Amino acid sequence: MTDSDRKNNEIKSCNEIDLRSHAVVEASAGTGKTYTITGLVVRLVLGITEPLKELSGCSGSEMIKVWNLKGDVHPLTVDQILLSTFTNAATEEMKLRVAASLRKCGESFRNLEFLLKNLSATYKKLGCLLESMKERSEGLSVENYVFPLAAALMIAALKHNCNSEPDNETSLDDNCIKSMLNALEDGEKRLSDAVINIDRASVVTIHQFCKSMLHRYAFESRSLFRTELMAEPDEARNYASTIEKRNFLYGDKTRSIVDYFLYKTLNESQSDYKRNISALVNAAGRIDLKDEKTVKNSLRDESISRE
């Protein structure tokens, strides 16, 4: 791919990402990854998965051509969307950012409803109406990436309810205006419901997501029903080491060795006890503990040599 091709294919907005396929967002710290993610959540809640190009200073006919969805709108509820990050602190921040973005977009939709009601009496052609709405929306704190989404929903509503392919000269009667208003109201309601149910959103760390999947499919993954997610890996290593030591010390072969050692230390003085402890440690460092007879002989040899 040449530099010119790469420049032409460069994505400038979260609206240009095709959500019908896989996508990877790579960027340095502080360059807007979380902002992009919140924009994608808004699109999923509104059900717009097709990419929409960003247009500046464009005419109404260009808007209709570029923002005319080819497929149907399939909105998701906020609990159907999974967001995964690295740390617990990042999950809380992401949930707050997503909620704030959904809230702002809901306000933008209400402002666009106000514009549509006021401008529909003056502009009776679809192209002129969209062009005027976009121009005036910039002064009503409408998020930059929200207007293309709202326009796409309005155009889709016209196609569905008026049974015609909208173009720049499409005449707008009361039925068409009502369809467009309903599209904006439905979008606002979806965004408001998402804000209300934001606590049901799956915003988790990668470890938490893996744990939930293991619990949900415990039989398939052959994992334990009761598992605990440890914050520090050292805790897990220490726990595993303790289990291994416990299994070794209380294994069948080791038990007989320890019993032999305890038998020798009974009724002995403190100095004899310390000598046998030392013998056990030294013997364990030199011999194969799987061979019970060899261990006992080594213990006996070690004690004799110390005497």
Side-chain angles (χ1 to χ4, degrees):
M1 180 182 292
T2 64
D3 291 339
S4 60
D5 292 335
R6 191 175 290 105
K7 186 174 181 180
N8 292 332
N9 293 328
E10 182 180 311
I11 292 177
K12 300 178 181 179
S13 167
C14 58
N15 286 344
E16 298 184 25
I17 298 176
D18 191 346
L19 295 181
R20 298 168 299 178
S21 59
H22 298 288
V24 177
V25 179
E26 290 184 290
S28 303
T31 54
K33 290 189 296 295
T34 303
Y35 178 81
T36 300
I37 291 173
T38 58
L40 297 180
V41 172
V42 169
R43 286 181 55 192
L44 291 172
V45 169
L46 294 174
I48 301 176
T49 57
E50 297 180 30
L52 302 175
K53 289 185 178 180
E54 286 293 315
L55 300 175
S56 58
C58 59
S59 64
S61 59
E62 291 175 313
M63 296 181 196
I64 298 170
K65 180 179 179 181
V66 175
W67 298 338
N68 190 350
L69 301 177
K70 298 179 178 61
D72 296 329
V73 174
H74 299 288
L76 298 178
T77 56
V78 73
D79 58 315
Q80 293 177 307
I81 302 171
L82 170 67
L83 298 175
S84 180
T85 185
F86 295 100
T87 64
N88 290 322
T91 60
E92 292 302 319
E93 180 189 0
M94 183 176 291
K95 185 174 289 188
L96 292 175
R97 293 277 296 274
V98 169
S101 182
L102 291 168
R103 193 178 296 108
K104 287 182 180 179
C105 291
E107 294 173 357
S108 297
F109 266 67
R110 283 192 292 274
N111 291 332
L112 290 174
E113 289 175 40
F114 171 78
L115 280 178
L116 179 58
K117 290 176 182 178
N118 285 273
L119 296 176
S120 59
T122 304
Y123 299 94
K124 296 298 183 180
K125 299 294 183 180
L126 179 60
C128 294
L129 177 61
L130 290 179
E131 193 173 344
S132 180
M133 285 183 66
K134 187 176 190 307
E135 180 181 348
R136 286 168 172 76
S137 66
E138 297 174 358
L140 291 177
S141 300
V142 174
E143 293 290 314
N144 292 333
Y145 67 91
V146 172
F147 186 79
L149 302 177
L153 292 177
M154 289 188 288
I155 295 171
L158 288 177
K159 289 172 61 177
H160 179 73
N161 296 312
C162 299
N163 296 321
S164 62
E165 190 67 29
D167 57 29
N168 193 44
E169 297 298 322
T170 297
S171 299
L172 301 175
D173 55 19
D174 290 342
N175 185 43
C176 293
I177 298 298
K178 184 178 179 180
S179 298
M180 296 168 71
L181 278 172
N182 288 338
L184 293 178
E185 290 172 358
D186 289 343
E188 180 196 346
K189 186 176 185 306
R190 293 184 196 126
L191 295 168
S192 299
D193 289 344
V195 174
I196 294 172
N197 297 305
I198 192 64
D199 287 334
R200 299 176 59 188
S202 297
V203 185
V204 295
T205 64
I206 298 172
H207 297 83
Q208 290 169 342
F209 172 70
C210 293
K211 179 186 175 184
S212 66
M213 289 296 100
L214 290 174
H215 280 189
R216 180 175 297 181
Y217 301 102
F219 287 106
E220 293 84 350
S221 61
R222 297 183 179 181
S223 60
L224 298 176
F225 285 104
R226 297 180 63 182
T227 56
E228 181 181 353
L229 186 62
M230 294 184 175
E232 297 295 333
D234 288 341
E235 296 180 15
R237 283 194 288 266
N238 292 338
Y239 179 75
S241 176
T242 301
I243 294 298
E244 280 297 313
K245 292 176 182 177
R246 195 174 293 167
N247 290 337
F248 168 75
L249 289 176
Y250 297 102
D252 293 336
K253 292 185 177 181
T254 308
R255 187 180 297 112
S256 62
I257 298 172
V258 175
D259 289 343
Y260 173 77
F261 167 75
L262 293 176
Y263 171 77
K264 284 181 62 61
T265 57
L266 287 176
N267 302 321
E268 291 186 350
S269 64
Q270 186 175 2
S271 60
D272 293 332
Y273 177 79
K274 290 182 178 179
R275 185 176 68 247
N276 286 328
I277 283 285
S278 178
L280 178 63
V281 172
N282 289 330
R286 296 198 318 268
I287 60 176
D288 184 5
L289 293 178
K290 296 180 181 179
D291 189 344
E292 179 182 341
K293 184 177 180 180
T294 304
V295 172
K296 290 182 179 179
N297 291 337
S298 297
L299 282 172
R300 188 179 299 108
D301 296 342
E302 185 74 26
S303 298
I304 293 172
S305 65
R306 286 180 173 273
E307 293 174 357

